[in-house]
Amino acid sequence: MLNELKQQVFEANLALVKYDLVTLTWGNVSGISREENLVVIKPSGVEYEKLTVNDMVVLDLSGKIIEGNLRPSSDTPTHIELYKSFPSIGGIAHSHSTYATIFAQACKEIPCFGTTHADAFYGNVPLTRFLTKKEVEENYELNTGKAVIQRFKKLDPNTVPGVLVAGHAPFTWGKNAGDAVKNNLMLERIAFMALHSLQLNPKLKLLPKHLLEKHHERKHGPNAYYGQKNRR
Amino acid sequence: MLNELKQQVFEANLALVKYDLVTLTWGNVSGISREENLVVIKPSGVEYEKLTVNDMVVLDLSGKIIEGNLRPSSDTPTHIELYKSFPSIGGIAHSHSTYATIFAQACKEIPCFGTTHADAFYGNVPLTRFLTKKEVEENYELNTGKAVIQRFKKLDPNTVPGVLVAGHAPFTWGKNAGDAVKNNLMLERIAFMALHSLQLNPKLKLLPKHLLEKHHERKHGPNAYYGQKNRR
Amino acid sequence: MLNELKQQVFEANLALVKYDLVTLTWGNVSGISREENLVVIKPSGVEYEKLTVNDMVVLDLSGKIIEGNLRPSSDTPTHIELYKSFPSIGGIAHSHSTYATIFAQACKEIPCFGTTHADAFYGNVPLTRFLTKKEVEENYELNTGKAVIQRFKKLDPNTVPGVLVAGHAPFTWGKNAGDAVKNNLMLERIAFMALHSLQLNPKLKLLPKHLLEKHHERKHGPNAYYGQKNRR
Amino acid sequence: MLNELKQQVFEANLALVKYDLVTLTWGNVSGISREENLVVIKPSGVEYEKLTVNDMVVLDLSGKIIEGNLRPSSDTPTHIELYKSFPSIGGIAHSHSTYATIFAQACKEIPCFGTTHADAFYGNVPLTRFLTKKEVEENYELNTGKAVIQRFKKLDPNTVPGVLVAGHAPFTWGKNAGDAVKNNLMLERIAFMALHSLQLNPKLKLLPKHLLEKHHERKHGPNAYYGQKNRR
């Protein structure tokens, strides 16, 4: 059942390790089959070295486990909430990658200072508000998803493929699980460079808008000319 | 004698290297058999590349060598003192991991700025006072242990699994030697992120308390739901 | 056709990965045959792990593809423009190596603070101005090349083998593709050390001129005595 | 001739790479036979990947090449000068390891902030003055050695096994070539931690003197008890 998706999600979880985005078990990746409305996600707290494709957990959009012997990631309700609200996305990656997490902890959005950022994110990387005590007690992970969606009221998840959860860490997404992990990696690099750019020039201004638009368009716009036609 | 414990402690010492927590021979891990009141610890100054399981040294709680041809770690009296005072712990790791050591050198506790910290440590990572000249001359390593215990008068070693020794470096502990090393790694990541969070926002406030509690509880509380039941 | 050059350029592209100068596909290296006026360059957006020597694209100096089934790097017009204006160079490397990119984003030239810098660059690493909206719309990549050339009006590309493009990232060059990548690596190390030197001493002065000259001369001058005669 | 020493020096040069202390060819290690008054050193500008034990160059203390087909390191006169003035040392390592070089560039001595530092260096890591224009023109490398010796007028090279050359980079030494490289590595870690300790606490005071002395003594003093007797 969903063998191809399970393989994709399994490999995307291992890519978190390959790209050095996780420490121990701090992260998880999921993917969704939009046809069957089923989500595949990493089991909770399992070490990446011991992870197998058969450990992946399959759930429906109500959070009911359809297949799998292990508990799903404790962040599963956040993933499901995002899949429900962002119909164009096919995969989600959550990590505590250090520099993105530093911005999340410091409660700072990541300003767009360069074309590397513009290639991946159209404008600032947004930050959610903190959840209230009531929201945490009620359903922490579900309400984390809702806080992300609230922050995206005026943002497009297709051009802004990720978010910083205040005090916590990043979530990124993409057209599939592998793509979500690549956006997680890009976010980490962007955060690293933004922090040090501010160190070098604390009054640094944003990248001029015509450069932001140009770089985003040449990779993602209707007339994009970056990469190979057949691979896009 | 104590073959399983010696193997565990040996592997935990190598994990210090695997997680990039040591330079040269700057670190040591021990484990205790509570049934036999015997401690197993790395020999002093032996290179990790040449270390074998049979190099592990076995001591009783008076510091007497029971088995082993090599001198035990020079920090052994600190380990023994902690085992005596913290009856619930089964392993101790000492490293000079760079960022935790930076906080120890700078004589700063590590504030809890995010959920990654809350997952591992309930509140600040504490710092000891400096030893006096007399304490150093009398018995440096033993009194280092006593200074840690003094700092923990109002702290619970089960929810705060580590400490920074002023001017020196961290000690962490856990239910066994491997667990102690994992807490050493988490402490290093927490220190790294705290330092850079302060760089980004020098007036950063602590993580709201309801988030600290939630994250600690979901991993370590009586109703913890992180990870797999059978593996906890 | 141009088999040796294609092999050189292919290997130089892989050296970007080996020296940890690229993330994902953010970078490209080219080489030129001055006899045939043909440029060999990496294809656009192809993952380094999947890259083969036969993927290299051959173009003439008008930008026409002479050989190859894939689109050339989107930065190709910048490379060609530099080859036209800097007749002594044989290879060009473009990366988003993090610290050089941080200086480019922060719109700061890299001051010469030490002999490591002097070994590679004679004086500051220069920075271009931002392109105007008109220049971006007209031909972004070509005009990036023109902005570099404009910045070099009073500089010698033989003693200053690279540049920071404002808001974007570095381009470096050398006598061949491999040399251009080595200069990219040296630029990255120089940028890293300059940023942290400024952190340690915000009022740091430039390296005294007689040391800058000595170090540059002993590696690159007519009486250079660094390295082996037969390898230079 | 001197086969064992050549092997030692060769391996110590490779250790610079293993410990990540060099970029490209920026570094060199030598060793001396005090019985024969001959120095073995790395050849100049040869890539570490291609280096063989037979590439090592043998010189006498006047700088005359006794054996070897390649030019010795351009820094050879500095090495020889140090061997002449510091009769107890058996090996010298020069690198541009990044953090030690940052302190050298920033013209700052490295203060002793912690026990890790005290384990390796008794007190500050010293810094030379800049050479004058005349000294550079006359004999740059020889006069670099003389400036180091001048700085050590009141220092003991046995308890302070290295120096920062202003604007340039570190030289370290030890009882043999391998030991010199280990001191180079320790210096790099010390520099890294000192820089970040100052970031965390710009008014940080030195480690109390009784702790500095205790840590140095337990490793290097007449009653040292760190490590194994037979290995010291």
Side-chain angles (χ1 to χ4, degrees), chain A residues 228, chain C residues 27-28 41-46 51 55-57 70-73:
Chain A
Q228 303 301 325
Chain C
N28 45 73
I41 195 164
K42 177 180 178 288
S44 181
V46 175
L51 200 65
D55 290 338
M56 299 298 110
V57 185
L70 296 169
R71 284 180 183 176
S73 163

Side-chain angles (χ1 to χ4, degrees), chain A residues 101 103-107 127 130 165-169, chain B residues 113-116 207-208 211:
Chain A
T101 302
F103 272 88
Q105 288 194 168
C107 295
L127 174 79
F130 276 119
V165 175
H168 187 169
Chain B
F113 289 139
T115 63
T116 321
L207 185 72
L211 282 167

Side-chain angles (χ1 to χ4, degrees), chain D residues 55-227:
Chain D
D55 291 337
M56 298 299 109
V57 186
V58 183
L59 304 103
D60 66 20
L61 289 178
S62 75
K64 199 182 131 195
I65 296 181
I66 303 298
E67 190 188 303
N69 301 312
L70 297 169
R71 285 181 183 175
S73 163
S74 53
D75 297 307
T76 300
T78 313
H79 290 243
I80 289 178
E81 200 61 19
L82 295 179
Y83 284 124
K84 283 182 183 169
S85 292
F86 299 162
S88 62
I89 69 174
I92 297 174
H94 170 53
S95 76
H96 290 218
S97 72
T98 54
Y99 283 95
T101 302
I102 285 160
F103 272 87
Q105 289 194 165
C107 295
K108 299 256 181 205
E109 307 218 329
I110 308 177
C112 179
F113 288 139
T115 64
T116 320
H117 184 127
D119 283 339
F121 284 78
Y122 185 75
N124 283 13
V125 180
L127 174 79
T128 68
R129 60 171 175 78
F130 276 118
L131 296 192
T132 63
K133 196 173 178 204
K134 189 162 166 282
E135 289 170 320
V136 167
E137 283 169 1
E138 200 184 82
N139 191 331
Y140 174 57
E141 291 82 6
L142 175 70
N143 287 326
T144 295
K146 288 191 189 300
V148 172
I149 292 152
Q150 190 183 37
R151 181 68 189 79
F152 269 71
K153 224 183 287 185
K154 295 177 183 173
L155 293 172
D156 177 357
N158 297 306
T159 58
V160 180
V163 70
L164 305 173
V165 175
H168 188 167
F171 283 82
T172 56
W173 45 79
K175 59 181 195 277
N176 55 44
D179 210 40
V181 172
K182 282 190 183 171
N183 285 330
N184 215 274
L185 172 59
M186 286 195 254
L187 175 54
E188 178 63 10
R189 289 292 182 282
I190 288 168
F192 176 87
M193 296 201 290
L195 183 140
H196 290 94
S197 296
L198 283 168
Q199 177 180 341
L200 206 52
N201 185 352
K203 293 178 179 176
L204 186 55
K205 288 184 195 159
L206 294 179
L207 184 73
K209 206 177 172 195
H210 61 278
L211 282 166
L212 163 60
E213 281 174 359
K214 174 67 183 178
H215 263 265
H216 206 78
E217 291 302 307
R218 80 170 187 169
K219 268 207 162 161
H220 305 287
N223 300 312
Y225 54 92
Y226 183 93

Side-chain angles (χ1 to χ4, degrees), chain C residues 197-221:
Chain C
S197 297
L198 283 168
Q199 177 180 342
L200 206 52
N201 185 352
K203 292 178 178 176
L204 186 56
K205 287 183 194 160
L206 294 179
L207 184 72
K209 206 177 171 194
H210 60 279
L211 282 166
L212 163 60
E213 281 175 359
K214 175 66 183 180
H215 263 265
H216 206 79
E217 290 303 306
R218 81 171 187 168
K219 267 206 163 161
H220 306 287

Side-chain angles (χ1 to χ4, degrees), chain A residues 80-93:
Chain A
I80 289 178
E81 200 61 18
L82 295 180
Y83 284 126
K84 282 181 181 169
S85 291
F86 298 162
S88 62
I89 70 175
I92 297 173

Side-chain angles (χ1 to χ4, degrees), chain A residues 23 25-26 44 47 49 71 74-75 96 99 102 105-106 130-131 133 136 140-141 167-168 195 199, chain B residues 18 114-116 182 186 189 192 196-197 199-201 204 210-211 214-215 218 225-229:
Chain A
T23 295
T25 60
W26 307 347
S44 181
E47 291 177 35
E49 290 176 8
R71 285 180 184 176
S74 54
D75 297 307
H96 290 219
Y99 283 94
I102 286 160
Q105 288 194 168
F130 276 119
L131 295 192
K133 197 174 176 202
V136 168
Y140 174 57
E141 292 82 6
H168 187 169
L195 182 139
Q199 177 181 342
Chain B
K18 174 183 159 194
T115 63
T116 321
K182 282 190 182 171
M186 285 196 253
R189 289 292 182 281
F192 176 88
H196 289 94
S197 296
Q199 176 180 342
L200 206 52
N201 185 352
L204 186 56
H210 61 279
L211 282 167
K214 175 66 183 178
H215 263 265
R218 80 171 188 169
Y225 54 91
Y226 183 93
Q228 304 301 324
K229 268 187 196 159

